[in-house]
Amino acid sequence: MTANAMQSSSVNRRPFTWSSPLTYALALAVAAVSITPVVYVIIGGFRTTPQIVADPAGLPSPWVWDNYARVLTQSNFWQQTFNSGVIALGTTLGVVLLGVSAAFVLARYTFRGREVLYTFFTLGLLFPAGAAILPLYLMLRDLNLINSYYAVILPQVAFQLPLTVVILRPFLSAIPRELEDAAAIDGTGRIGFLWRIVLPLSRPALVTVGILAFVASWNAFLLPLLVLGDASLHTLPLGVQNFSSQYTSDTAGILAFTSLAMLPALLFFTFAEKQIVGGLQGAVKG
């Protein structure tokens, strides 16, 4: 092949772009796989169990609202919603406060062993939470924390900290030193610099780690199952299990309960999607 032919071939070959039809098709396929089960569960709550048995993939005909109304009128549902909210908000607050404190030190302070400490946090991403369930339960029992919100909040904060530090550190490192020097000239200390300048500039990253912590806590099942033996402290994932065990033949009711249980986290995640994308992009660039 001559040089001109090779040059002509390279010119005619179109480079890959993210706007290509193949990419759109792949994105739509991934979206369909992710969204279809959620839509099926929500719509299934508007059907009756005989309808689901007769035509599992059909649409409600007619639409039935009794399943959702029955779940919403149960006192257990609202108690479990309250428990999930307290635990999720407590976990989110702890993750954000401790995470930004640790990331600020690792990003803005220079001391011996800093990178080793950061590596220690990153290794926490490789540690499966399930492997620590038994020793964690024994430790919580010895501390008399079983059957309390703290038995769920404190471990969840610990397991969320590695990801939080990994996301926040690049943001805090990217803040120009000139801003810190100017703040010091104005008489602002380290804490004032963190509170007045760093936190507002790091808002996308803070929102990202907060949302990830909230959603993970809201959907947590194994840890609450082991440490919350008191039914009055059960969260919504445990409530779904209890409802499924109590009404095994009521498939439509189970789907309605499941839909309402996942709805707050789903809406929370959907409305803050842009913040999450911005936060993760900043972490990658940093």
Side-chain angles (χ1 to χ4, degrees):
M1 182 180 292
T2 65
N4 292 335
M6 293 178 61
Q7 184 177 4
S8 176
S9 176
S10 62
V11 170
N12 294 332
R13 186 186 304 160
R14 292 188 299 177
F16 174 80
T17 61
W18 288 107
S19 59
S20 63
L22 178 61
T23 304
Y24 277 110
L26 181 60
L28 289 175
V30 173
V33 172
S34 303
I35 296 175
T36 299
V38 177
V39 174
Y40 179 82
V41 171
I42 295 175
I43 293 180
F46 290 102
R47 308 175 69 192
T48 63
T49 299
Q51 289 179 3
I52 297 176
V53 173
D55 186 9
L59 293 175
S61 180
W63 290 72
V64 179
W65 298 85
D66 293 344
N67 297 320
Y68 286 98
R70 181 157 48 91
V71 173
L72 291 174
T73 54
Q74 290 186 357
S75 59
N76 289 340
F77 173 81
W78 294 108
Q79 180 63 46
Q80 291 158 5
T81 302
F82 175 79
N83 294 336
S84 292
V86 170
I87 292 174
L89 291 176
T91 299
T92 303
L93 183 62
V95 166
V96 172
L97 290 179
L98 295 178
V100 73
S101 300
F104 180 73
V105 173
L106 292 172
R108 312 298 299 189
Y109 286 73
T110 302
F111 55 91
R112 178 179 295 181
R114 182 181 69 168
E115 295 305 320
V116 175
L117 184 59
Y118 179 68
T119 302
F120 177 78
F121 275 104
T122 57
L123 289 176
L125 297 173
L126 307 177
F127 185 79
I133 287 297
L134 180 57
L136 180 61
Y137 175 84
L138 296 177
M139 183 179 67
L140 293 173
R141 185 192 63 183
D142 294 339
L143 294 174
N144 294 322
L145 294 177
I146 299 297
N147 283 327
S148 69
Y149 292 143
Y150 297 108
V152 183
I153 294 176
L154 295 178
Q156 287 185 157
V157 170
F159 285 119
Q160 287 288 328
L161 274 180
L163 178 62
T164 302
V165 172
V166 168
I167 292 177
L168 289 181
R169 190 195 185 195
F171 264 89
L172 305 186
S173 299
I175 296 176
R177 291 286 177 181
E178 290 77 7
L179 290 178
E180 188 172 358
D181 295 338
I185 294 175
D186 292 338
T188 302
R190 293 272 190 173
I191 302 300
F193 174 69
L194 171 64
W195 181 257
R196 298 176 183 177
I197 299 177
V198 172
L199 294 184
L201 292 178
S202 304
R203 180 176 175 271
L206 295 176
V207 173
T208 297
V209 297
I211 292 171
L212 294 177
F214 182 90
V215 174
S217 175
W218 188 275
N219 294 329
F221 176 78
L222 182 57
L223 181 61
L225 177 65
L226 293 178
V227 301
L228 297 179
D230 188 352
S232 63
L233 296 174
H234 280 184
T235 58
L236 278 175
L238 298 183
V240 172
Q241 182 200 40
N242 297 336
F243 190 89
S244 302
S245 301
Q246 186 176 359
Y247 302 97
T248 55
S249 59
D250 188 5
T251 305
I254 295 173
L255 293 177
F257 197 108
T258 305
S259 300
L260 293 173
M262 68 180 179
L263 188 60
L266 185 63
L267 293 176
F268 192 49
F269 190 89
T270 301
F271 288 139
E273 179 185 1
K274 291 184 179 180
Q275 294 287 345
I276 294 176
V277 173
L280 294 178
Q281 285 179 344
V284 172
K285 292 178 182 178

